[in-house]
């Protein structure tokens, strides 16, 4: 059981890495990295389409990651 959970954890970890790397960048220029993106603080733009999908995928994978990690701790202690 522990080996199965470890395999699932490794697969989910790789999928999280890909999901985070696939998300579109929030900043468009180097100036916002110097100013801290203060001009975007009050912007009312909502994420749409692919960006929303990738945020949901990342959230679900994160929840699965923590659930499997907790299950591994439980299995290893019993």
């Amino acid at each position: 059981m522990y080996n199965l959970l470890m395999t699932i954890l490794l697969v989910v970890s790789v999928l999280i890495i890909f999901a985070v790397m696939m998300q579109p960048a929030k900043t468009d220029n180097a100036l916002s990295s110097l100013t801290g993106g203060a001009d975007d603080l009050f912007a009312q733009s909502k994420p749409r389409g692919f960006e929303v999908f990738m945020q949901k995928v990342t959230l679900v994978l994160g929840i699965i990651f923590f659930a499997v990690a907790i299950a591994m701790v439980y299995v290893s202690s019993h």
Side-chain angles (χ1 to χ4, degrees):
M1 184 68 174
Y2 185 80
N3 289 334
L4 176 65
L5 289 174
M6 180 61 84
T7 304
I8 292 171
L9 189 70
L10 289 173
V11 169
V12 170
S13 299
V14 171
L15 290 175
I16 287 175
I17 292 170
F18 284 131
V20 169
M21 291 178 67
M22 291 290 293
Q23 291 182 2
K26 301 282 184 187
T27 58
D28 292 333
N29 55 17
L31 181 62
S32 61
S33 65
L34 295 173
T35 62
D39 54 341
D40 294 334
L41 181 62
F42 299 107
Q44 296 294 328
S45 63
K46 294 173 106 177
R48 297 175 187 223
F50 183 71
E51 187 175 355
V52 172
F53 174 73
M54 290 310 296
Q55 287 177 353
K56 289 180 182 179
V57 167
T58 305
L59 177 68
V60 169
L61 288 173
I63 292 170
I64 292 170
F65 178 84
F66 282 108
V68 171
I70 291 171
M72 284 180 63
V73 169
Y74 178 78
V75 168
S76 67
S77 68
H78 285 75

